[in-house]
Short mmCIF file of all heavy atoms in Angstrom, two decimals:
data_model
loop_
_atom_site.label_atom_id
_atom_site.label_comp_id
_atom_site.label_asym_id
_atom_site.label_seq_id
_atom_site.Cartn_x
_atom_site.Cartn_y
_atom_site.Cartn_z
N LEU S 111 -62.98 12.36 -56.55
CA LEU S 111 -63.51 11.13 -57.12
C LEU S 111 -63.54 11.19 -58.63
O LEU S 111 -63.97 12.17 -59.21
CB LEU S 111 -64.94 10.89 -56.63
CG LEU S 111 -65.10 10.20 -55.28
CD1 LEU S 111 -66.55 10.29 -54.84
CD2 LEU S 111 -64.67 8.76 -55.38
N GLY S 112 -63.10 10.12 -59.27
CA GLY S 112 -63.30 9.97 -60.70
C GLY S 112 -64.59 9.22 -60.96
O GLY S 112 -65.22 8.69 -60.05
N ARG S 113 -64.99 9.14 -62.22
CA ARG S 113 -66.24 8.44 -62.55
C ARG S 113 -66.11 6.94 -62.36
O ARG S 113 -67.06 6.27 -62.00
CB ARG S 113 -66.65 8.75 -64.00
CG ARG S 113 -67.19 10.16 -64.19
CD ARG S 113 -67.70 10.35 -65.60
NE ARG S 113 -68.27 11.68 -65.75
CZ ARG S 113 -69.53 11.97 -65.51
NH1 ARG S 113 -70.34 11.05 -65.06
NH2 ARG S 113 -69.98 13.20 -65.68
N VAL S 114 -64.91 6.41 -62.65
CA VAL S 114 -64.72 4.97 -62.54
C VAL S 114 -63.54 4.69 -61.62
O VAL S 114 -62.43 5.12 -61.88
CB VAL S 114 -64.45 4.33 -63.92
CG1 VAL S 114 -64.26 2.83 -63.77
CG2 VAL S 114 -65.60 4.64 -64.87
N GLY S 115 -63.83 3.99 -60.53
CA GLY S 115 -62.76 3.55 -59.64
C GLY S 115 -62.04 4.68 -58.93
O GLY S 115 -60.91 4.53 -58.49
N GLY S 116 -62.68 5.87 -58.83
CA GLY S 116 -62.02 6.99 -58.18
C GLY S 116 -61.92 6.77 -56.68
O GLY S 116 -62.76 6.13 -56.07
N HIS S 117 -60.88 7.30 -56.10
CA HIS S 117 -60.71 7.19 -54.65
C HIS S 117 -60.33 8.55 -54.10
O HIS S 117 -59.62 9.32 -54.73
CB HIS S 117 -59.63 6.17 -54.30
CG HIS S 117 -60.04 4.77 -54.61
ND1 HIS S 117 -61.04 4.12 -53.93
CD2 HIS S 117 -59.60 3.90 -55.55
CE1 HIS S 117 -61.19 2.91 -54.42
NE2 HIS S 117 -60.34 2.75 -55.40
N LEU S 118 -60.79 8.81 -52.90
CA LEU S 118 -60.56 10.10 -52.27
C LEU S 118 -59.23 10.15 -51.54
O LEU S 118 -58.64 11.20 -51.39
CB LEU S 118 -61.71 10.38 -51.29
CG LEU S 118 -61.78 11.75 -50.64
CD1 LEU S 118 -62.01 12.81 -51.70
CD2 LEU S 118 -62.90 11.80 -49.63
N VAL S 119 -58.73 9.03 -51.10
CA VAL S 119 -57.56 9.01 -50.23
C VAL S 119 -56.40 8.32 -50.92
O VAL S 119 -56.55 7.22 -51.45
CB VAL S 119 -57.87 8.28 -48.91
CG1 VAL S 119 -56.69 8.36 -47.96
CG2 VAL S 119 -59.11 8.87 -48.26
N GLY S 120 -55.24 8.96 -50.93
CA GLY S 120 -54.04 8.34 -51.47
C GLY S 120 -53.36 7.49 -50.42
O GLY S 120 -53.79 7.39 -49.27
N SER S 121 -52.22 6.89 -50.80
CA SER S 121 -51.54 5.97 -49.89
C SER S 121 -51.01 6.69 -48.67
O SER S 121 -51.06 6.15 -47.56
CB SER S 121 -50.39 5.27 -50.64
OG SER S 121 -49.48 6.23 -51.17
N VAL S 122 -50.50 7.92 -48.83
CA VAL S 122 -49.99 8.66 -47.67
C VAL S 122 -51.13 9.02 -46.72
O VAL S 122 -51.03 8.81 -45.51
CB VAL S 122 -49.24 9.93 -48.13
CG1 VAL S 122 -48.90 10.79 -46.91
CG2 VAL S 122 -47.98 9.56 -48.88
N GLY S 123 -52.23 9.56 -47.27
CA GLY S 123 -53.36 9.92 -46.43
C GLY S 123 -53.91 8.73 -45.67
O GLY S 123 -54.20 8.82 -44.47
N PHE S 124 -54.05 7.60 -46.35
CA PHE S 124 -54.56 6.39 -45.69
C PHE S 124 -53.62 5.95 -44.57
O PHE S 124 -54.06 5.58 -43.48
CB PHE S 124 -54.72 5.28 -46.72
CG PHE S 124 -55.36 4.04 -46.19
CD1 PHE S 124 -56.73 3.87 -46.23
CD2 PHE S 124 -54.59 3.03 -45.63
CE1 PHE S 124 -57.32 2.72 -45.72
CE2 PHE S 124 -55.17 1.89 -45.12
CZ PHE S 124 -56.54 1.74 -45.18
N SER S 125 -52.32 5.99 -44.85
CA SER S 125 -51.34 5.58 -43.84
C SER S 125 -51.40 6.48 -42.61
O SER S 125 -51.37 5.99 -41.47
CB SER S 125 -49.92 5.63 -44.45
OG SER S 125 -48.95 5.37 -43.47
N VAL S 126 -51.51 7.79 -42.83
CA VAL S 126 -51.55 8.72 -41.70
C VAL S 126 -52.82 8.53 -40.89
O VAL S 126 -52.78 8.47 -39.65
CB VAL S 126 -51.44 10.18 -42.20
CG1 VAL S 126 -51.61 11.15 -41.04
CG2 VAL S 126 -50.10 10.40 -42.88
N VAL S 127 -53.97 8.43 -41.56
CA VAL S 127 -55.24 8.26 -40.86
C VAL S 127 -55.23 7.00 -40.01
O VAL S 127 -55.72 6.99 -38.87
CB VAL S 127 -56.41 8.22 -41.87
CG1 VAL S 127 -57.69 7.72 -41.20
CG2 VAL S 127 -56.64 9.60 -42.46
N SER S 128 -54.68 5.93 -40.54
CA SER S 128 -54.71 4.66 -39.82
C SER S 128 -53.70 4.58 -38.68
O SER S 128 -53.81 3.74 -37.80
CB SER S 128 -54.47 3.50 -40.79
OG SER S 128 -53.21 3.63 -41.44
N ARG S 129 -52.71 5.50 -38.68
CA ARG S 129 -51.68 5.48 -37.64
C ARG S 129 -51.87 6.56 -36.57
O ARG S 129 -51.48 6.38 -35.42
CB ARG S 129 -50.30 5.72 -38.26
CG ARG S 129 -49.78 4.65 -39.19
CD ARG S 129 -48.56 5.18 -39.93
NE ARG S 129 -48.03 4.23 -40.88
CZ ARG S 129 -46.99 3.45 -40.67
NH1 ARG S 129 -46.37 3.51 -39.52
NH2 ARG S 129 -46.57 2.61 -41.59
N ALA S 130 -52.43 7.70 -36.97
CA ALA S 130 -52.43 8.88 -36.10
C ALA S 130 -53.25 8.65 -34.83
O ALA S 130 -54.31 8.03 -34.85
CB ALA S 130 -52.98 10.08 -36.86
N GLY S 131 -52.74 9.19 -33.74
CA GLY S 131 -53.44 9.09 -32.46
C GLY S 131 -54.35 10.26 -32.17
O GLY S 131 -54.99 10.30 -31.12
N ARG S 132 -54.39 11.25 -33.09
CA ARG S 132 -55.24 12.42 -32.93
C ARG S 132 -56.01 12.65 -34.23
O ARG S 132 -55.71 12.05 -35.25
CB ARG S 132 -54.39 13.64 -32.56
CG ARG S 132 -53.80 13.54 -31.15
CD ARG S 132 -53.10 14.83 -30.75
NE ARG S 132 -53.98 15.99 -30.83
CZ ARG S 132 -54.89 16.31 -29.91
NH1 ARG S 132 -55.07 15.53 -28.85
NH2 ARG S 132 -55.63 17.38 -30.03
N PRO S 133 -57.02 13.54 -34.19
CA PRO S 133 -57.86 13.72 -35.38
C PRO S 133 -57.09 14.17 -36.62
O PRO S 133 -56.16 14.98 -36.53
CB PRO S 133 -58.86 14.80 -34.94
CG PRO S 133 -58.94 14.65 -33.46
CD PRO S 133 -57.55 14.29 -33.03
N VAL S 134 -57.49 13.61 -37.75
CA VAL S 134 -56.94 13.99 -39.05
C VAL S 134 -58.11 14.36 -39.95
O VAL S 134 -59.10 13.63 -40.02
CB VAL S 134 -56.14 12.83 -39.69
CG1 VAL S 134 -55.63 13.23 -41.07
CG2 VAL S 134 -54.99 12.40 -38.79
N VAL S 135 -58.00 15.50 -40.63
CA VAL S 135 -59.04 15.95 -41.55
C VAL S 135 -58.52 15.83 -42.97
O VAL S 135 -57.41 16.30 -43.27
CB VAL S 135 -59.46 17.41 -41.27
CG1 VAL S 135 -60.53 17.87 -42.27
CG2 VAL S 135 -59.97 17.55 -39.85
#
Side-chain angles (χ1 to χ4, degrees):
L111 276 169
R113 287 185 177 271
V114 180
H117 291 293
L118 188 64
V119 184
S121 58
V122 171
F124 186 90
S125 174
V126 175
V127 167
S128 59
R129 294 168 182 260
R132 291 186 57 79
V134 178
V135 178

